[in-house]
DNA sequence: GCTTAGCACTCAACGACATCGAGTGCTAAC
DNA sequence: GTTAGCACTCGATGTCGTTGAGTGCTAAGC
């Protein structure tokens, strides 16, 4: 099953060429290439072997060969760890990221922009999952007679806020003491655990039931939101530049999948944790994306909380480069998000 | 220049048909239609007249006619005020909007979803311009030793917040009194006027320069953001369903324009204020959108602050329906946003 | 025994060409 | 003023041969 050196070289050359051109590559083309000191005929023999081994596919009899999914898999496992980025490129990424990025939401959005800009594929970035974080502080700030801002700070340094309604006639001092109490009671709990605790709190503080119900409601809503909502997609249009999507039908399907964030989300989540994950073609479970590959990496915040960022592109994507870019940006994000906030 | 009844009826029939099918309509097709008691030949004569008057175009000699921009203009001016929506439809819109929509950002996002869902075109919604609003309250809430949440409440009921860094060792009480002072000083000012006032404040409170600089910075940033950033687009992919975008090139161009929000923004702004604005084809200034029409409406918040919502679709769009939907949703939004918050 | 030249074969892509049909404009009859 | 009839236009569609890149196989060469 192991490929000898020449087979491997030829396979690599085919993949490289196909990544560039998206056109099936034939023996002549290949033999003309630099450093390939053999005739087309020889290459044909080797290609024939490679096809039998399952590394090459032939769209139709009189066309060249294209790499199979198995070939990409091998290639990717071998190649992993792309060449480092040039000074220029890292600089370009930094200008993306360095634009006043205090809030996480912004960091995420900018990272997605940087990713799609640098790779010309479609970028996905998901925020860290909130329910693994622990509450550090809860504060309710009145902003009008009928509304207040609920601020929740977590141990990952994340600040989430939502406007809630409050019963008319609520006094500011009151809100303050309730905030104190909530902070005291909820500190150290995950948002999940918080839910149980709340029923307890409800019993003790009947008179503020309406207010507390609003608070709980808002927190739950935020959690639910972060199950699917906190994902940024950038550069969906990029893929329309590639011949794979010369057909509007396909283009539309692809873009529709991007729209359905709730389907995409589990895919990204699943890859979380490990440093890099590469899923080629049908390896990802969404049928509409069976002609795409998904490459993901992980970024970290404080206290082991982590999020995922990734690239979707055609299976023939430039894996080396994508990995380099993901590597760099994930590190940059981790630095931005854990050092401070 | 005024069209007699029959010409007008024929023109209308042509437009209706073309809106449905996107195929040039010929005299035979037209004469077969219900209520059109004349022969193809007669219609041909009328069409010939209409073409001379500039209401019809002919893509090529042996094809049917398509309505010109001038025809749409006439049609739209005549038709304005579409038929009201059915019970079912309004219900559908309400399920979109009624999903726990406290914050403006959410109302806007949901409205965009509702718009694109109901029309199957592309929806745009821009937030009200911040710099016309007046400050009602400023509050700084500490969330960690080095950071705080800056909350600004405006007279339109809008709440904007941003995380800012604060000098280490800042006391909570201090932040409170500074908040008080800022509220006092800035109340009633527009965000624009606020800037001048700030230099004054700077002089009086030298010791808190760093903090105040952070506050000013964040407020300015939010303002700048709201110049272009606060626009939501939904259903960009919808247009790919129409034959106008069967060509990927065109589809890509269109989607790219949507990406460039800063170009789109002035277009929407320009239409603000008036109840409805319809710009057909080249009437809007973006060349890439010369085959599209833009229909916009206005929604209101408290104190004369208003935002814009609109639909982009092919010139042959179903104007009647679009206007009905815009009308309904803009009113619903106004209700949601001015009644409360 | 591997490499390569030669050759017959395959097949998508492309262009030329005929056909088809929806649609037009014009004229003459109603 | 309306309509039937007719010749004409022209994009769309389909057929068919041609082209050329590519293959597999065989036999000669190193």
């Amino acid at each position: 099953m192991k490929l000898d050196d020449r087979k491997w070289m030829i396979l690599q050359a085919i993949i490289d060429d196909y990544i560039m051109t998206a056109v099936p590559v034939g023996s002549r083309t290949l033999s003309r290439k630099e450093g390939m000191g053999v005739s087309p005929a020889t290459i044909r023999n080797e290609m024939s072997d490679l096809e039998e081994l399952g590394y090459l596919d032939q769209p139709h009899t009189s066309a060249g060969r294209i790499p199979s999914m198995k070939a990409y898999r091998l290639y990717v496992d071998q190649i992993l760890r792309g060449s480092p980025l040039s000074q220029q490129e890292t600089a370009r990424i930094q200008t993306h990221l360095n634009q006043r990025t205090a809030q996480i939401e912004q960091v995420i959005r900018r990272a997605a922009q940087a990713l799609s800009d640098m790779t010309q594929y479609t970028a996905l970035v998901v925020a860290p999952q909130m329910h693994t974080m622990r509450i550090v502080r809860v504060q309710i700030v009145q902003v009008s007679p009928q509304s207040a801002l609920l601020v929740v700070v977590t141990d990952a340094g994340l600040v989430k806020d939502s406007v809630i309604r409050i019963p008319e006639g609520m006094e500011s001092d009151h809100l303050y003491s309730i905030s104190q109490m909530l902070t005291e009671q909820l500190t150290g709990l995950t948002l999940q655990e918080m839910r149980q605790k709340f029923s307890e709190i409800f019993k003790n503080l009947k008179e503020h039931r309406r207010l507390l119900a609003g608070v709980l409601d808002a927190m739950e809503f935020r959690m639910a939101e972060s199950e699917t909502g906190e994902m940024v997609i950038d550069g969906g249009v990029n893929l329309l530049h590639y011949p794979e999507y010369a057909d509007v039908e396909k283009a539309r399907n692809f873009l529709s999948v991007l729209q359905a964030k709730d389907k995409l989300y589990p895919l990204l989540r699943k890859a979380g944790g490990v440093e890099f994950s590469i899923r080629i073609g049908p390896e990802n479970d969404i049928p509409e994306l069976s002609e795409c590959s998904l490459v993901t990496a992980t970024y970290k915040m404080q206290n082991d909380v982590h999020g995922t960022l990734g690239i979707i592109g055609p299976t023939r994507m430039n894996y080396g480069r994508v990995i380099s870019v993901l590597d760099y940006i994930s590190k940059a994000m981790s630095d931005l998000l854990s050092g401070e906030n």
Side-chain angles (χ1 to χ4, degrees), chain A:
Chain A
M1 182 56 90
K2 221 186 144 237
L3 300 178
D4 64 46
D5 280 358
R6 196 171 63 186
K7 281 198 175 53
W8 173 234
M9 192 185 76
I10 288 177
L11 182 56
Q12 224 172 321
I14 291 174
I15 295 177
D16 284 339
D17 196 68
Y18 189 67
I19 282 178
M20 290 290 299
T21 64
V23 169
V25 13
S27 53
R28 266 184 70 86
T29 333
L30 217 51
S31 84
R32 270 199 295 265
K33 244 188 188 164
E34 196 73 17
M36 188 80 49
V38 286
S39 78
T42 312
I43 294 181
R44 277 206 290 282
N45 289 331
E46 298 284 34
M47 281 166 111
S48 191
D49 291 351
L50 283 168
E51 185 172 355
E52 200 157 345
L53 289 170
Y55 291 109
L56 292 180
D57 289 334
Q58 208 170 6
H60 56 265
T61 325
S62 73
R65 309 297 217 286
I66 61 175
S68 71
M69 188 192 118
K70 192 173 162 192
Y72 285 123
R73 179 43 60 206
L74 185 67
Y75 177 81
V76 154
D77 290 346
Q78 221 76 6
I79 289 293
L80 256 218
R81 184 70 33 181
S83 50
L85 300 178
S86 75
Q87 186 100 38
Q88 276 183 5
E89 293 175 311
T90 58
R92 185 142 148 232
I93 293 176
Q94 288 302 342
T95 56
H96 268 118
L97 293 180
N98 279 343
Q99 292 181 40
R100 272 196 114 283
T101 41
Q103 254 114 326
I104 295 207
E105 285 82 1
Q106 282 168 30
V107 175
I108 288 177
R109 219 171 306 141
R110 304 239 191 266
Q113 277 170 17
L115 265 174
S116 87
D117 179 36
M118 297 304 292
T119 61
Q120 293 298 309
Y121 299 123
T122 299
L124 306 171
V125 184
V126 303
Q129 265 184 309
M130 255 188 110
H131 69 241
T132 61
M133 300 181 194
R134 291 175 186 284
I135 296 171
V136 165
R137 190 172 190 148
V138 178
Q139 191 131 7
I140 304 170
V141 186
Q142 188 159 25
V143 293
S144 88
Q146 319 96 37
S147 65
L149 195 71
L150 167 68
V151 183
V152 179
V153 185
T154 72
D155 64 346
L158 186 65
V159 179
K160 282 281 171 192
D161 48 49
S162 5
V163 175
I164 58 174
R165 294 175 150 280
I166 55 173
E168 194 103 23
M170 199 80 197
E171 290 200 14
S172 200
D173 290 349
H174 239 100
L175 288 175
Y176 186 72
S177 62
I178 292 176
S179 301
Q180 291 291 52
M181 181 277 290
L182 282 174
T183 301
E184 202 168 301
Q185 300 275 324
L186 299 178
T187 292
L189 302 184
T190 65
L191 290 159
Q192 202 102 52
E193 294 161 353
M194 173 266 309
R195 209 174 299 185
Q196 288 143 28
K197 187 77 178 185
F198 238 92
S199 55
E200 219 173 285
I201 298 176
F202 261 121
K203 281 190 207 119
N204 301 342
L205 275 156
K206 286 221 175 84
E207 72 266 47
H208 295 126
R209 189 169 232 144
R210 273 182 60 201
L211 173 64
L212 289 171
V215 171
L216 178 60
D217 201 36
M219 287 172 91
E220 298 230 345
F221 180 68
R222 279 305 207 146
M223 278 181 63
E225 192 183 54
S226 79
E227 279 314 306
T228 68
E230 307 247 53
M231 169 162 52
V232 174
I233 299 177
D234 201 296
V237 195
N238 283 350
L239 290 207
L240 302 202
H241 285 101
Y242 302 105
E244 278 85 348
Y245 294 92
D247 180 28
V248 193
E249 183 78 25
K250 278 191 182 172
R252 198 198 320 145
N253 276 339
F254 174 74
L255 293 173
S256 298
V257 174
L258 293 190
Q259 218 93 348
K261 292 190 177 181
D262 48 331
K263 277 200 197 143
L264 234 40
Y265 187 81
L267 215 60
L268 276 266
R269 264 292 154 231
K270 213 164 99 187
V274 291
E275 198 182 356
F276 285 109
S277 145
I278 302 185
R279 262 163 297 166
I280 297 164
E283 289 177 6
N284 66 59
D285 305 324
I286 299 182
E288 288 90 339
L289 297 183
S290 63
E291 295 181 6
C292 296
S293 285
L294 174 65
V295 185
T296 59
T298 296
Y299 65 88
K300 292 191 186 60
M301 296 186 69
Q302 290 158 20
N303 300 329
D304 265 343
V305 175
H306 58 256
T308 313
L309 68 167
I311 286 289
I312 295 185
T315 38
R316 60 162 189 102
M317 83 165 85
N318 189 336
Y319 293 95
R321 182 177 171 77
V322 164
I323 287 179
S324 305
V325 174
L326 277 174
D327 185 42
Y328 187 88
I329 294 185
S330 65
K331 293 218 168 75
M333 281 181 81
S334 301
D335 287 351
L336 272 173
L337 292 175
S338 58
E340 53 184 284
N341 220 346

